[in-house]
Amino acid sequence: MDHERPFRPARVAALLALVLLAACSSSGQRQDDSAAPRTATAAPTATGPAPTTRAAVPGAARPTPSPSAAATNGPAAHARWHPRAGTPWQWQLSGTVDTTVDVPVYDIDGFENSAAVVRRLHAAGRKVICYVNAGAWESFRPDAKAFPAALMGKGDGWNGERWLDIRAVGRLRPLMAARFDMCRSKGFDAVEPDLLDGYTNTTGFPLTAADQLAYNRMIATLAHERGLAVGLKNDLDQVAPLVGDFDFSVDEQCAQYDECPSLTPFIAAGKPVFHVEYELKAGQFCAATRRLGFSSMVKHLSLDAWRQPC
């Protein structure tokens, strides 16, 4: 792409949830049983100009399908959830989850919500996606000490977060597997692994498009081995080679940056594009994304319960 794109805000919402809980705990308020215990007392603050998130990779190779793509035809593929294109959704990463929104799919923070929340959503007929960070280390997560310091690179724009060296697939695989095991143990139906486009950022590591493809396919395989569907987060430049490995897409601001056509391979495959805009009004993009078959809505940057669907 020939433009610079601002920092993706999804992790900001997760951090806001930690701040809200810390404030409630310090004032003696009783926590709702829908939230798991938090481990941080303050959210990271910006440390400088927000990094760009994607850049063109001229001549990036389109490799042949990986073993992980073929594995989707195994027993786990038949057992797991296969979401359909056009399915409405709700994405809430901050505040106590509002379980009353009448949509078939919820996407919520995996660490911050308990199995009880997932059960309540299932009882209402919802499928539930588990948000976790797969591309950066987060100091405020309960498993933070398990990540080797040698795999932590530059900050991604927020205190407490550092890019991971995704070339170290063998060392990161068990850490991500543990996170996905957490999602499965809580009853989630799918995972949304964030920051799957580190190779387009200034991470402190010489990451390549091939490194990202290998890592993203490893992530997809881990999810599928656990019977979980998995979404490709952003990473529009690699949609074509990865659409066979992932079950849906989660995208932020493709309409604002005129990138939505890049996601149509998911729709062509019958897989949903779960899409949000933060700065545009519904009237500025909904007609276009409806024609594309996207599951679009306007959300606050904080990713609280408010939503305006297309």
Side-chain angles (χ1 to χ4, degrees):
M1 301 297 171
D2 60 0
H3 62 265
E4 292 188 352
R5 190 164 184 172
F7 183 65
R8 304 285 187 179
R11 288 163 317 287
V12 179
L15 300 176
L16 287 173
L18 297 174
V19 171
L20 292 173
L21 180 74
C24 291
S25 298
S26 63
S27 62
Q29 295 180 7
R30 185 174 183 269
Q31 296 180 22
D32 183 84
D33 68 353
S34 66
R38 273 64 163 180
T39 59
T41 57
T45 55
T47 58
T52 59
T53 58
R54 300 216 336 278
V57 182
R62 301 303 192 197
T64 56
S66 68
S68 63
T72 60
N73 294 321
H78 298 293
R80 72 174 184 269
W81 173 48
H82 292 275
R84 296 182 178 181
T87 302
W89 72 308
Q90 163 67 323
W91 195 17
Q92 184 179 349
L93 298 184
S94 67
T96 300
V97 172
D98 178 0
T99 60
T100 67
V101 180
D102 188 14
V103 292
V105 177
Y106 270 69
D107 188 340
I108 61 177
D109 189 282
F111 282 107
E112 297 301 306
N113 291 284
S114 69
V117 176
V118 179
R119 285 195 299 270
R120 286 201 292 272
L121 290 168
H122 281 165
R126 322 297 187 204
K127 295 293 186 180
V128 195
I129 301 170
C130 181
Y131 170 91
V132 295
N133 197 328
W137 172 79
E138 300 165 308
S139 63
F140 47 88
R141 296 302 191 184
D143 61 352
K145 292 182 179 179
F147 287 78
L151 301 188
M152 300 177 197
K154 292 182 179 293
D156 64 6
W158 297 88
N159 286 337
E161 293 193 22
R162 294 167 62 183
W163 289 102
L164 290 170
D165 186 355
I166 61 168
R167 297 172 301 172
V169 174
R171 301 180 73 182
L172 289 173
R173 181 185 288 110
L175 298 171
M176 295 302 148
R179 289 188 165 189
F180 290 4
D181 285 341
M182 172 195 70
C183 295
R184 181 178 59 178
S185 70
K186 291 182 178 182
F188 283 93
D189 303 287
V191 291
E192 181 213 332
D194 202 3
L195 289 181
L196 293 184
D197 54 1
Y199 81 105
T200 66
N201 288 264
T202 305
T203 62
F205 306 110
L207 305 181
T208 67
D211 294 329
Q212 194 70 61
L213 285 172
Y215 185 72
N216 290 1
R217 285 181 170 135
M218 181 272 288
I219 289 292
T221 297
L222 287 178
H224 289 160
E225 287 174 347
R226 286 154 180 78
L228 298 169
V230 61
L232 179 65
K233 180 67 171 290
N234 297 317
D235 195 17
L236 277 74
D237 296 325
Q238 296 187 329
V239 165
L242 289 175
V243 66
D245 297 85
F246 287 82
D247 304 292
F248 57 92
S249 169
V250 177
D251 178 80
E252 298 167 287
Q253 298 172 283
C254 73
Q256 181 173 344
Y257 295 99
D258 298 320
E259 298 171 336
C260 293
S262 298
L263 292 159
T264 55
F266 276 96
I267 300 299
K271 301 174 182 182
V273 173
F274 295 127
H275 162 239
V276 299
E277 294 291 330
Y278 303 109
E279 299 181 26
L280 298 182
K281 295 181 180 179
Q284 295 177 281
F285 71 92
C286 279
T289 58
R290 275 197 298 266
R291 285 193 296 270
L292 292 175
F294 290 7
S295 305
S296 298
M297 59 183 171
V298 183
K299 291 286 293 184
H300 293 150
L301 279 171
S302 61
L303 289 174
D304 56 13
W306 181 86
R307 66 191 290 273
Q308 183 182 2
C310 288

